[in-house]
Amino acid sequence: MPYPYLHFQGHCADAMAFYADVFGGELTVMKWSDAPADTPQKIDSDRVMHSHLALPDGTRLMAGDFPPGFEGDPQKAVSISHVVSDAGEGRALFDRLAEGGDVIESFGETFFSPGFGMVRDRYGTHWMIMTEA
């Protein structure tokens, strides 16, 4: 099963803690400095090598920071679509993700959904929150 993998420039730990607070679930975080001393992946950095959030519905959201000095362009052309069964729940999730972010399309009823909205959160991740029709 494919899962989204997000890339950050040094704020993965904060972003994933925020997503765990918003969506619930169990968060696991491994920093670059956690790698065994005798591996090529060992970097003296508190940046996140890999993290995953096991969501209550059985899906996962995975993420990591680019290694120090590595140029990258995180989350430019990808949106994560999250579907819920209730418009009230969708509105609550949308509002939390919008805190400190930018609303692209306000959450509301559309011809295809009782509740839909698009937002770029404060960490630069694009979300589409949708209620099942």
Side-chain angles (χ1 to χ4, degrees):
M1 174 175 289
Y3 296 112
Y5 200 101
L6 304 175
H7 299 275
F8 296 96
Q9 286 286 8
H11 54 269
C12 180
D14 290 340
M16 291 300 280
F18 175 67
Y19 301 149
D21 186 53
V22 170
F23 295 104
E26 186 175 333
L27 177 61
T28 303
V29 176
M30 180 190 326
K31 296 184 177 183
W32 287 97
S33 58
D34 294 334
D38 61 345
T39 63
Q41 293 81 17
K42 177 72 172 182
I43 298 173
D44 187 23
S45 173
D46 281 340
R47 286 185 176 214
V48 174
M49 177 189 286
H50 174 74
S51 66
H52 70 268
L53 176 59
L55 299 172
D57 66 1
T59 60
R60 295 176 186 262
L61 179 63
M62 298 185 196
D65 284 314
F66 290 113
F70 186 89
E71 294 294 322
D73 205 3
Q75 280 78 277
K76 279 292 190 185
V78 174
S79 295
I80 298 176
S81 179
H82 186 77
V83 181
V84 297
S85 58
D86 175 75
E89 178 186 2
R91 162 70 68 192
L93 290 173
F94 181 87
D95 289 346
R96 287 291 312 282
L97 292 167
E99 292 171 5
D102 298 306
V103 172
I104 297 167
E105 182 175 331
S106 296
F107 190 87
E109 187 174 344
T110 68
F111 72 93
F112 59 85
S113 174
F116 174 82
M118 297 188 307
V119 62
R120 184 177 62 237
D121 70 26
R122 62 181 155 211
Y123 300 103
T125 303
H126 291 83
W127 295 90
M128 297 187 311
I129 304 299
M130 182 175 11
T131 305
E132 292 179 310

